[in-house]
Amino acid sequence: MSSKSGMEQVLVENEVQQVRLLDSVNDDHGGVIVELSESMDSKVFASMLKASLALWRSQGKRGVWIKVPIELVNLVEAAVKEGFWFHHAEPKYLMLAFWIPEGAHALPANASHRVGVGAFVMNKKREVLVVQEKSGIFRGTGVWKFPTGVVDEGEDICAAAMREVKEETAIDTEFVEVLAFRQSHKSFFDKSDLFFVCMLRPLSFDIEKQESEIEDAQWMPWDEYVAQPFVQKHELMKHLVGICKAKEDEAYFGFSPVPITSRISDEKSYLYVNDRDLKGSKVRMSQTA
């Protein structure tokens, strides 16, 4: 349901006034969403916002969201003076939030985690695909590491792992499974971090490094990779090496992507499951039935 802007009689500061309201759309949680698109003087906006808040309060609305495009940044101060706060920002807009009822607000927080991937890619010679980075904490250290990167908005973990390998080394791969993941906190701009270690199968073998980010790339013998002081001294790396070796020895099985849809959306997404053990469980169940 939407509420179009127009002239309406609203009680503002104990006085009935004929005022223009902001366009709004009801959300699913008893609140409203405003997407600003019209250029206006900040004083005009302040008047419309004050009147709209009075109406929404009388209607028993709860949360108010105002999406401010970057070109209308002049309107932010007026909203902040009414009690709005910054919820999150993207390259082209700022989202402001406000809670009408008394007491603590129940609005969801901004996204709390960043999602990253690391790619374990081994060929039939038991050589692992590794890179040296031109920037970041490993710059100039001589450390050889798995290709890594951040999952883009709207991108699946499996797709991100294959993309990062392709971008950094030009190697084509097939996604096999998620081997493990790590959660850490106070990472990028104080956000928490989810890092998924993925196994990929190489489909090509000629490396062409990414000039902008990668200093060097190679197929390195597994034992040589493991022998690096960086790998030997860090607990996380020793755990990951053990998992990767167990996987190669077929003594460990991770989580494979199964395409699904949900009641909420018909868009394809992935459920990551231990498909091998699941199939084994189904076989055992059928044998005992």
Side-chain angles (χ1 to χ4, degrees):
M1 235 186 118
S2 63
S3 170
K4 293 296 182 182
S5 63
M7 301 302 292
E8 186 164 328
Q9 287 190 342
V10 178
L11 183 65
V12 180
E13 296 179 352
N14 297 319
E15 180 182 345
V16 176
Q17 299 180 10
Q18 191 84 1
V19 293
R20 187 182 173 202
L21 303 176
L22 295 170
D23 286 344
S24 66
V25 176
N26 294 334
D27 65 20
D28 295 328
H29 305 282
V32 295
I33 301 170
V34 176
E35 293 197 24
L36 299 176
S37 59
E38 178 186 349
S39 297
M40 66 182 80
D41 182 82
S42 60
K43 292 182 179 179
V44 173
F45 171 71
S47 175
M48 293 173 65
L49 178 58
K50 190 182 295 290
S52 297
L53 284 171
L55 176 63
W56 296 328
R57 185 173 283 107
S58 71
Q59 294 173 339
K61 299 298 183 183
R62 292 155 50 87
V64 180
W65 304 91
I66 298 184
K67 184 177 181 180
V68 185
I70 194 168
E71 61 269 17
L72 300 183
V73 68
N74 65 302
L75 306 181
V76 171
E77 183 179 2
V80 171
K81 287 181 176 179
E82 287 297 327
F84 282 78
W85 65 86
F86 295 179
H87 185 268
H88 66 271
E90 295 292 342
K92 295 295 185 181
Y93 74 85
L94 173 67
M95 184 66 77
L96 303 175
F98 183 83
W99 186 249
I100 293 176
E102 296 292 332
H105 76 79
L107 296 176
N110 183 24
S112 60
H113 286 68
R114 186 179 68 156
V115 180
V117 291
F120 168 56
V121 187
M122 181 177 282
N123 62 26
K124 292 182 179 180
K125 299 178 183 178
R126 289 186 66 81
E127 296 171 328
V128 63
L129 183 64
V130 291
V131 299
Q132 289 183 336
E133 295 178 335
K134 284 186 174 181
S135 61
I137 61 174
F138 294 111
R139 176 185 178 184
T141 63
V143 169
W144 292 96
K145 58 183 285 293
F146 294 167
T148 58
V150 177
V151 179
D152 290 338
E153 182 177 351
E155 185 178 36
D156 294 307
I157 291 169
C158 51
M162 293 187 292
R163 174 183 55 76
E164 286 293 344
V165 170
K166 180 69 172 179
E167 288 178 354
E168 294 188 1
T169 68
I171 296 295
D172 294 312
T173 58
E174 175 186 13
F175 187 86
V176 179
E177 57 192 32
V178 171
L179 296 178
F181 71 91
R182 178 215 63 195
Q183 182 186 29
S184 60
H185 304 289
K186 297 293 181 181
S187 179
F188 188 73
F189 287 109
D190 285 336
K191 296 294 183 181
S192 297
D193 184 86
L194 286 172
F195 182 75
F196 290 82
V197 181
C198 306
M199 181 177 182
L200 287 74
R201 184 177 296 113
L203 301 178
S204 64
F205 304 94
D206 294 331
I207 294 173
E208 185 177 336
K209 68 174 184 176
Q210 183 183 29
E211 291 295 335
S212 60
E213 296 185 14
I214 302 302
E215 187 67 37
D216 204 356
Q218 66 166 318
W219 291 103
M220 175 179 281
W222 175 249
D223 291 341
E224 186 178 335
Y225 169 78
V226 173
Q228 293 183 102
F230 167 75
V231 175
Q232 292 295 318
K233 293 179 180 179
H234 289 79
E235 184 179 14
L236 172 64
M237 297 308 302
K238 287 192 288 186
H239 276 294
L240 293 181
V241 163
I243 291 170
C244 293
K245 184 178 186 304
K247 176 61 186 176
E248 278 300 303
D249 294 339
E250 298 186 354
Y252 178 89
F253 296 90
F255 298 88
S256 303
V258 176
I260 61 169
T261 56
S262 70
R263 186 181 68 177
I264 299 174
S265 172
D266 290 331
E267 291 290 326
K268 182 182 71 174
S269 60
Y270 289 99
L271 177 68
Y272 291 83
V273 300
N274 184 326
D275 192 52
R276 173 183 175 274
D277 288 350
L278 185 63
K279 288 178 179 176
S281 176
K282 289 179 179 177
V283 170
R284 289 191 296 271
M285 290 174 63
S286 65
Q287 290 173 344
T288 58

